[in-house]
Amino acid sequence: MKSAHRQAIDLAGFEAKFRAGPDPWHTFTARDEAIKRQRILRALGHGPMARILELGSGNGSNSQALARRALKLHACDGSPSATRLTRDALANAPHAHAWQIALPARLPGTRYEAVVIAELLYYLEPRAMQRLARDVAAVLPPGARLVLAHHQIEFPDNTQRTAGIHKSFIHALGRPLKRVRTFRAQRWRVDGYRL
């Protein structure tokens, strides 16, 4: 439940941040973000993957790294400016495409070897997150990977609490998953799962 002093950020708020500057959270330059990005890649496992779906691509800072691991990458964000920044970040990766999708919504593909969701889930209302979980479950075949990467500190503008957000999303998936990798830092957590 949100307290009276909290003001959750919405899609318009994210659009304003990305219009104001291409890297509002320093995801391209901050050392901690670079470490988290490496942990996301490790949570995917070894070797290239045929198709990866990235949800909440932001400015494309993770998208560039994911494109190097995928034969095809679909990177999605709801903000028009973030989608443009992701396209710019992927300009040298013709096998990678940026999609503007305000989640939850129909996903761009029907099957992926991996889905990566970073810094998104706690900005969704609980029902929206549950719908997204069902949509994600539908595109993950047996043996596929799911990587969740989120901060573990509370923000004044998130819709849901950060604590337990991965557990809530996994429960909403309604499919058996095995957690195969976990990485923790003071501020964030990355979990890798296999179906």
Side-chain angles (χ1 to χ4, degrees), residues 51-55 72-76 96-99 108-109 112:
R51 295 167 56 92
I52 297 177
L53 174 65
E54 178 190 14
L55 301 177
K72 182 170 283 229
L73 171 68
H74 289 162
C76 305
H97 303 281
W99 298 73
Y112 294 93

Side-chain angles (χ1 to χ4, degrees), residues 1 5 25 27 29 32 57 64-65 75 89 102 116 119 125 140 147 151 171 176 178:
M1 181 170 208
H5 71 280
W25 293 279
T27 56
T29 57
D32 196 46
S57 63
Q64 286 182 334
V116 176
E119 310 305 341
E125 293 286 343
L140 289 173
V147 177
H151 276 86
H171 178 73
K178 178 181 180 184

Side-chain angles (χ1 to χ4, degrees), residues 13-131:
F14 282 109
E15 174 63 13
K17 285 187 179 289
F18 285 113
R19 268 197 206 155
D23 199 2
W25 293 279
H26 310 290
T27 56
F28 272 110
T29 57
R31 182 177 183 273
D32 196 46
E33 291 293 328
I35 293 169
K36 181 170 57 172
R37 191 164 21 262
Q38 289 303 314
R39 299 307 183 262
I40 289 170
L41 294 175
R42 287 180 62 191
L44 281 173
H46 301 289
M49 297 191 156
R51 295 167 56 92
I52 297 177
L53 174 65
E54 178 190 14
L55 301 177
S57 63
N59 62 8
S61 55
N62 288 337
S63 308
Q64 286 182 334
L66 293 172
R68 291 190 288 272
R69 293 287 306 276
L71 299 178
K72 182 170 283 229
L73 171 68
H74 289 162
C76 305
D77 201 279
S79 157
S81 293
T83 305
R84 180 182 46 77
L85 291 165
T86 298
R87 280 192 188 109
D88 292 346
L90 295 172
N92 295 323
H95 63 289
H97 303 281
W99 298 73
Q100 183 187 336
I101 299 174
L103 296 167
R106 186 169 180 262
L107 300 175
T110 58
R111 285 285 185 255
Y112 294 93
E113 277 189 285
V115 174
V116 176
I117 306 174
E119 310 305 341
L120 168 69
L121 296 177
Y122 34 60
Y123 293 114
L124 299 175
E125 293 286 343
R127 283 185 186 213
M129 188 182 79
Q130 289 170 2
R131 180 178 163 202

